[in-house]
Amino acid sequence: MSGAEAPLRIAVAGGSIGGLCAGLALRGTGLDVQVYERASGPMETRGAGIVVQGELIDLLRSHGAAALPTTHCTVRRYLSPEGGDGEVQRAPQDFTSWEAIYRTLAAAFPSDRYHRGATLTDFGNDDGAVQAHIEGHGMVEADLLVAADGAQSPTRRRFLPDLNSTYAGYVAWRGTLDEADAPPDLVRFFDDAFTFSEARSAGHILVYFIPGDGADTTPGKRRLNWVWYVGVGEADLPRLLVDRDGRQHHASLPFGGAPDSAIRDLRDLARREVHPMLAALVAATPQPFLQTIVDVVPTRTVFGRVCLLGDAAFVVRPHTAGATAKAARDATTLARALKRAGRNVDAGLSGFEEMQIEFGRGLVDYGVELGRRWAT
Ligand SMILES: Cc1cc2nc3c(=O)[nH]c(=O)nc-3n(C[C@H](O)[C@H](O)[C@H](O)COP(=O)(O)OP(=O)(O)OC[C@H]3O[C@@H](n4cnc5c(N)ncnc54)[C@H](O)[C@@H]3O)c2cc1C
């Protein structure tokens, strides 16, 4: 490491939610942080929904970020597949979108420290330092490499090659529909509620409004967002994960990727399985997309001067509404542990790993339990 008073140099690989949370939290403790993101252009996304959790809001507030654009509802509505208005309970809740979170985090982080088209391709990790090879930046020397490189983390695979993800036995079909394009009866029916319903055979569907294009939360500009958990045998997954151009995917079909035949099958299934208003919502949604549900539970997350953060460490089920909050929590935990440890970086990392693993395991178990109750 360089001069005694020089701040620790942190290289973050991955500039999505986890990488940006790490960037903000670590800079907040005075460290010298650079974020390297593989995507070269703007992070394009249709911005599916995310339930707002305290960990993220705390991190944004503590680091001078703007207010997160959110939508709001006052009740939960529980529907039955047979139809009707269901049962309503008062339960206020805020929602947001991936796009809204990304924009808010990115606006709070210095743009000259955020590098696009900057893929981590290799690294050396010894003697209390990391040499990270970053596309377009050559060899970057750092005191710590934070791998926030997502659920398919190449860094995790390198350190834990035998760790597999465990398929949960079901997938999440997701959809978003611009409020302006939605039939008015659907807007009225789903407005101001977090709507849940069992499907007739098995599985579970939920609906809420999220910010629309440009994170706009104005009524009329929002989006209806839904997630439907559908059981799919492991042997049937490869067939389901072929996109409309015939390409095989392994974990998800992105927005616009699902073939027309799969969307037709989904709409037919909805007509048979779920409340008529939910079936109408699925039918009105132009491009549903798909994510397989898996658990990933690493036994270690710190390897010398490299640590895993966010989805690169634990992958939890969406029922927990916890992936984004977990990324924010990891970032805050890491920043606090390093601050407490001062120049004893290894001790700080060890404290971080212990807390991260305890929390990650708990959240995975919680997701498995919710999945057992709701989705199977
Ligand atoms: C474009 C996008 C849209 C998403 N939309 C939603 C959503 O609507 N709802 C939801 O619940 N979750 C969504 N997610 C996932 C969500 O961000 C995560 O589940 C969670 O917030 C934890 O984020 P993460 O940063 O740990 O992982 P991720 O969000 O998966 O980010 C990992 C990042 O690492 C980058 N990366 C990978 N390899 C390298 C490398 N070698 N070098 C440099 N960078 C690398 C990837 O390009 C990516 O930006 C989305 C992720 C992305 C990338």
Short mmCIF file of all heavy atoms in Angstrom, two decimals, residues 20-31 33 55-67 104-110 328-329 331-336 339:
data_model
loop_
_atom_site.label_atom_id
_atom_site.label_comp_id
_atom_site.label_asym_id
_atom_site.label_seq_id
_atom_site.Cartn_x
_atom_site.Cartn_y
_atom_site.Cartn_z
N LEU A 20 -22.82 0.61 -7.35
CA LEU A 20 -23.03 2.03 -7.02
C LEU A 20 -23.25 2.22 -5.52
O LEU A 20 -22.77 3.21 -4.95
CB LEU A 20 -24.20 2.59 -7.82
CG LEU A 20 -23.86 2.97 -9.26
CD1 LEU A 20 -25.11 3.22 -10.08
CD2 LEU A 20 -22.95 4.21 -9.28
N CYS A 21 -23.95 1.28 -4.88
CA CYS A 21 -24.11 1.38 -3.41
C CYS A 21 -22.73 1.32 -2.75
O CYS A 21 -22.43 2.10 -1.84
CB CYS A 21 -24.98 0.25 -2.87
SG CYS A 21 -26.74 0.46 -3.18
N ALA A 22 -21.90 0.38 -3.21
CA ALA A 22 -20.54 0.26 -2.66
C ALA A 22 -19.76 1.54 -2.91
O ALA A 22 -19.08 2.06 -2.01
CB ALA A 22 -19.82 -0.94 -3.27
N GLY A 23 -19.87 2.07 -4.13
CA GLY A 23 -19.16 3.29 -4.47
C GLY A 23 -19.52 4.42 -3.52
O GLY A 23 -18.65 5.11 -2.97
N LEU A 24 -20.82 4.62 -3.31
CA LEU A 24 -21.27 5.72 -2.45
C LEU A 24 -20.84 5.51 -1.00
O LEU A 24 -20.32 6.43 -0.35
CB LEU A 24 -22.79 5.84 -2.49
CG LEU A 24 -23.40 6.59 -3.66
CD1 LEU A 24 -24.92 6.61 -3.54
CD2 LEU A 24 -22.85 8.02 -3.72
N ALA A 25 -21.08 4.29 -0.49
CA ALA A 25 -20.80 4.04 0.93
C ALA A 25 -19.30 4.14 1.21
O ALA A 25 -18.89 4.73 2.22
CB ALA A 25 -21.33 2.67 1.33
N LEU A 26 -18.47 3.60 0.31
CA LEU A 26 -17.02 3.61 0.56
C LEU A 26 -16.44 5.01 0.38
O LEU A 26 -15.57 5.43 1.15
CB LEU A 26 -16.33 2.60 -0.37
CG LEU A 26 -16.70 1.13 -0.06
CD1 LEU A 26 -16.22 0.20 -1.18
CD2 LEU A 26 -16.10 0.68 1.28
N ARG A 27 -16.93 5.74 -0.59
CA ARG A 27 -16.49 7.14 -0.74
C ARG A 27 -16.90 7.96 0.48
O ARG A 27 -16.19 8.86 0.91
CB ARG A 27 -17.10 7.76 -1.99
CG ARG A 27 -16.09 7.89 -3.12
CD ARG A 27 -16.69 8.54 -4.32
NE ARG A 27 -16.95 9.97 -4.14
CZ ARG A 27 -16.01 10.91 -4.18
NH1 ARG A 27 -14.74 10.59 -4.37
NH2 ARG A 27 -16.34 12.18 -4.03
N GLY A 28 -18.06 7.60 1.02
CA GLY A 28 -18.55 8.31 2.21
C GLY A 28 -17.63 8.16 3.41
O GLY A 28 -17.67 8.99 4.32
N THR A 29 -16.79 7.12 3.42
CA THR A 29 -15.83 6.99 4.53
C THR A 29 -14.45 7.50 4.11
O THR A 29 -13.45 7.22 4.78
CB THR A 29 -15.70 5.53 5.01
OG1 THR A 29 -15.26 4.74 3.92
CG2 THR A 29 -17.01 4.99 5.52
N GLY A 30 -14.40 8.20 3.00
CA GLY A 30 -13.16 8.87 2.60
C GLY A 30 -12.23 8.02 1.75
O GLY A 30 -11.07 8.38 1.54
N LEU A 31 -12.71 6.88 1.23
CA LEU A 31 -11.83 6.02 0.44
C LEU A 31 -11.82 6.46 -1.03
O LEU A 31 -12.72 7.16 -1.49
CB LEU A 31 -12.26 4.55 0.56
CG LEU A 31 -12.37 4.05 2.02
CD1 LEU A 31 -12.67 2.57 2.07
CD2 LEU A 31 -11.09 4.35 2.80
N VAL A 33 -12.37 5.58 -4.53
CA VAL A 33 -13.14 4.52 -5.20
C VAL A 33 -13.29 4.79 -6.70
O VAL A 33 -13.60 5.92 -7.10
CB VAL A 33 -14.57 4.43 -4.60
CG1 VAL A 33 -15.31 3.22 -5.18
CG2 VAL A 33 -14.54 4.34 -3.09
N GLU A 55 -33.10 -0.15 4.00
CA GLU A 55 -31.62 -0.12 3.86
C GLU A 55 -31.18 0.79 2.71
O GLU A 55 -30.21 1.52 2.82
CB GLU A 55 -31.06 -1.53 3.59
CG GLU A 55 -31.10 -2.46 4.77
CD GLU A 55 -32.39 -3.28 4.81
OE1 GLU A 55 -33.40 -2.85 4.19
OE2 GLU A 55 -32.38 -4.33 5.47
N LEU A 56 -31.93 0.71 1.60
CA LEU A 56 -31.57 1.53 0.43
C LEU A 56 -31.85 3.00 0.71
O LEU A 56 -31.02 3.87 0.41
CB LEU A 56 -32.35 1.05 -0.80
CG LEU A 56 -32.09 1.86 -2.06
CD1 LEU A 56 -30.65 1.67 -2.55
CD2 LEU A 56 -33.07 1.49 -3.16
N ILE A 57 -33.01 3.28 1.30
CA ILE A 57 -33.36 4.67 1.59
C ILE A 57 -32.33 5.27 2.55
O ILE A 57 -31.87 6.41 2.36
CB ILE A 57 -34.78 4.75 2.22
CG1 ILE A 57 -35.82 4.21 1.23
CG2 ILE A 57 -35.14 6.16 2.66
CD1 ILE A 57 -35.95 5.00 -0.04
N ASP A 58 -31.92 4.51 3.57
CA ASP A 58 -30.92 5.01 4.52
C ASP A 58 -29.61 5.34 3.80
O ASP A 58 -29.00 6.38 4.05
CB ASP A 58 -30.63 3.95 5.60
CG ASP A 58 -31.81 3.79 6.54
OD1 ASP A 58 -32.72 4.63 6.51
OD2 ASP A 58 -31.81 2.80 7.31
N LEU A 59 -29.19 4.42 2.90
CA LEU A 59 -27.93 4.67 2.19
C LEU A 59 -28.03 5.93 1.33
O LEU A 59 -27.13 6.77 1.33
CB LEU A 59 -27.57 3.45 1.34
CG LEU A 59 -26.24 3.55 0.60
CD1 LEU A 59 -25.48 2.23 0.67
CD2 LEU A 59 -26.40 3.95 -0.85
N LEU A 60 -29.15 6.07 0.62
CA LEU A 60 -29.32 7.26 -0.23
C LEU A 60 -29.29 8.53 0.60
O LEU A 60 -28.61 9.51 0.26
CB LEU A 60 -30.64 7.16 -1.01
CG LEU A 60 -30.73 6.06 -2.09
CD1 LEU A 60 -32.15 5.92 -2.61
CD2 LEU A 60 -29.79 6.39 -3.25
N ARG A 61 -30.03 8.51 1.72
CA ARG A 61 -30.09 9.71 2.58
C ARG A 61 -28.72 10.04 3.16
O ARG A 61 -28.34 11.20 3.23
CB ARG A 61 -31.05 9.46 3.74
CG ARG A 61 -32.49 9.56 3.29
CD ARG A 61 -33.42 9.91 4.46
NE ARG A 61 -34.79 9.86 3.98
CZ ARG A 61 -35.72 9.05 4.46
NH1 ARG A 61 -35.45 8.24 5.48
NH2 ARG A 61 -36.92 9.05 3.96
N SER A 62 -27.98 9.00 3.58
CA SER A 62 -26.69 9.27 4.25
C SER A 62 -25.66 9.82 3.30
O SER A 62 -24.62 10.29 3.74
CB SER A 62 -26.09 8.00 4.84
OG SER A 62 -27.05 7.24 5.45
N HIS A 63 -25.87 9.64 1.98
CA HIS A 63 -24.82 10.05 1.04
C HIS A 63 -25.30 11.13 0.07
O HIS A 63 -24.80 11.25 -1.04
CB HIS A 63 -24.27 8.82 0.32
CG HIS A 63 -23.66 7.86 1.28
ND1 HIS A 63 -22.44 8.08 1.90
CD2 HIS A 63 -24.12 6.71 1.81
CE1 HIS A 63 -22.19 7.11 2.74
NE2 HIS A 63 -23.17 6.25 2.71
N GLY A 64 -26.29 11.90 0.52
CA GLY A 64 -26.67 13.11 -0.21
C GLY A 64 -27.37 12.86 -1.53
O GLY A 64 -27.38 13.74 -2.39
N ALA A 65 -27.95 11.67 -1.71
CA ALA A 65 -28.65 11.40 -2.98
C ALA A 65 -30.00 12.11 -2.97
O ALA A 65 -30.54 12.44 -1.91
CB ALA A 65 -28.84 9.90 -3.16
N ALA A 66 -30.54 12.31 -4.17
CA ALA A 66 -31.88 12.91 -4.29
C ALA A 66 -32.92 11.90 -3.80
O ALA A 66 -32.61 10.72 -3.61
CB ALA A 66 -32.13 13.25 -5.76
N ALA A 67 -34.13 12.38 -3.59
CA ALA A 67 -35.21 11.47 -3.15
C ALA A 67 -35.48 10.43 -4.25
O ALA A 67 -35.46 10.75 -5.44
CB ALA A 67 -36.47 12.28 -2.89
N THR A 104 -30.97 7.31 -9.49
CA THR A 104 -30.76 8.08 -8.26
C THR A 104 -29.35 7.83 -7.71
O THR A 104 -28.66 8.77 -7.29
CB THR A 104 -31.83 7.68 -7.21
OG1 THR A 104 -33.11 7.82 -7.82
CG2 THR A 104 -31.76 8.56 -5.98
N LEU A 105 -28.93 6.56 -7.74
CA LEU A 105 -27.57 6.25 -7.26
C LEU A 105 -26.52 6.89 -8.17
O LEU A 105 -25.55 7.50 -7.70
CB LEU A 105 -27.36 4.73 -7.24
CG LEU A 105 -28.05 3.94 -6.14
CD1 LEU A 105 -28.01 2.44 -6.45
CD2 LEU A 105 -27.39 4.20 -4.78
N ALA A 106 -26.72 6.73 -9.49
CA ALA A 106 -25.70 7.21 -10.44
C ALA A 106 -25.55 8.73 -10.34
O ALA A 106 -24.44 9.26 -10.45
CB ALA A 106 -26.07 6.79 -11.86
N ALA A 107 -26.67 9.44 -10.12
CA ALA A 107 -26.60 10.91 -10.03
C ALA A 107 -25.83 11.35 -8.79
O ALA A 107 -25.30 12.47 -8.76
CB ALA A 107 -28.01 11.48 -10.02
N ALA A 108 -25.77 10.49 -7.77
CA ALA A 108 -25.08 10.88 -6.52
C ALA A 108 -23.60 10.48 -6.53
O ALA A 108 -22.87 10.84 -5.61
CB ALA A 108 -25.79 10.21 -5.33
N PHE A 109 -23.18 9.73 -7.55
CA PHE A 109 -21.80 9.25 -7.59
C PHE A 109 -21.04 10.02 -8.68
O PHE A 109 -21.58 10.22 -9.77
CB PHE A 109 -21.78 7.74 -7.89
CG PHE A 109 -20.43 7.12 -7.74
CD1 PHE A 109 -19.92 6.86 -6.48
CD2 PHE A 109 -19.64 6.84 -8.85
CE1 PHE A 109 -18.66 6.30 -6.33
CE2 PHE A 109 -18.37 6.29 -8.71
CZ PHE A 109 -17.89 6.02 -7.45
N PRO A 110 -19.81 10.46 -8.39
CA PRO A 110 -19.09 11.29 -9.38
C PRO A 110 -18.91 10.57 -10.72
O PRO A 110 -18.40 9.44 -10.74
CB PRO A 110 -17.72 11.53 -8.72
CG PRO A 110 -17.88 11.13 -7.30
CD PRO A 110 -19.04 10.21 -7.18
N ALA A 328 -27.49 -2.84 -0.75
CA ALA A 328 -27.26 -1.61 0.02
C ALA A 328 -26.69 -1.95 1.40
O ALA A 328 -25.75 -1.30 1.89
CB ALA A 328 -28.56 -0.83 0.17
N ARG A 329 -27.22 -2.99 2.01
CA ARG A 329 -26.75 -3.39 3.34
C ARG A 329 -25.29 -3.87 3.28
O ARG A 329 -24.48 -3.52 4.14
CB ARG A 329 -27.66 -4.50 3.87
CG ARG A 329 -27.37 -4.90 5.27
CD ARG A 329 -28.16 -6.13 5.62
NE ARG A 329 -27.76 -6.61 6.91
CZ ARG A 329 -28.44 -6.42 8.03
NH1 ARG A 329 -29.58 -5.79 8.00
NH2 ARG A 329 -27.98 -6.88 9.17
N ALA A 331 -23.05 -2.97 1.21
CA ALA A 331 -22.19 -1.79 0.99
C ALA A 331 -21.98 -1.04 2.30
O ALA A 331 -20.84 -0.65 2.63
CB ALA A 331 -22.83 -0.88 -0.06
N THR A 332 -23.05 -0.84 3.05
CA THR A 332 -22.94 -0.10 4.31
C THR A 332 -22.11 -0.89 5.32
O THR A 332 -21.25 -0.33 6.02
CB THR A 332 -24.35 0.16 4.88
OG1 THR A 332 -25.10 0.86 3.88
CG2 THR A 332 -24.31 1.00 6.14
N THR A 333 -22.33 -2.21 5.37
CA THR A 333 -21.58 -3.07 6.29
C THR A 333 -20.09 -3.03 5.96
O THR A 333 -19.23 -2.92 6.85
CB THR A 333 -22.10 -4.53 6.21
OG1 THR A 333 -23.50 -4.52 6.43
CG2 THR A 333 -21.43 -5.42 7.23
N LEU A 334 -19.77 -3.11 4.67
CA LEU A 334 -18.36 -3.10 4.26
C LEU A 334 -17.71 -1.77 4.62
O LEU A 334 -16.59 -1.73 5.17
CB LEU A 334 -18.28 -3.34 2.74
CG LEU A 334 -16.87 -3.29 2.13
CD1 LEU A 334 -15.97 -4.38 2.71
CD2 LEU A 334 -16.93 -3.43 0.60
N ALA A 335 -18.41 -0.67 4.33
CA ALA A 335 -17.83 0.65 4.61
C ALA A 335 -17.58 0.81 6.12
O ALA A 335 -16.52 1.29 6.54
CB ALA A 335 -18.75 1.75 4.10
N ARG A 336 -18.54 0.38 6.94
CA ARG A 336 -18.38 0.52 8.40
C ARG A 336 -17.24 -0.36 8.90
O ARG A 336 -16.46 0.04 9.75
CB ARG A 336 -19.67 0.14 9.11
CG ARG A 336 -20.72 1.22 8.96
CD ARG A 336 -21.91 0.95 9.86
NE ARG A 336 -22.94 1.93 9.60
CZ ARG A 336 -24.23 1.69 9.62
NH1 ARG A 336 -24.69 0.48 9.91
NH2 ARG A 336 -25.10 2.65 9.38
N LYS A 339 -13.95 1.12 8.00
CA LYS A 339 -13.70 2.34 8.78
C LYS A 339 -13.23 1.98 10.20
O LYS A 339 -12.25 2.53 10.70
CB LYS A 339 -14.98 3.19 8.84
CG LYS A 339 -14.76 4.52 9.50
CD LYS A 339 -15.97 5.38 9.39
CE LYS A 339 -15.64 6.73 10.02
NZ LYS A 339 -16.83 7.53 10.19
#
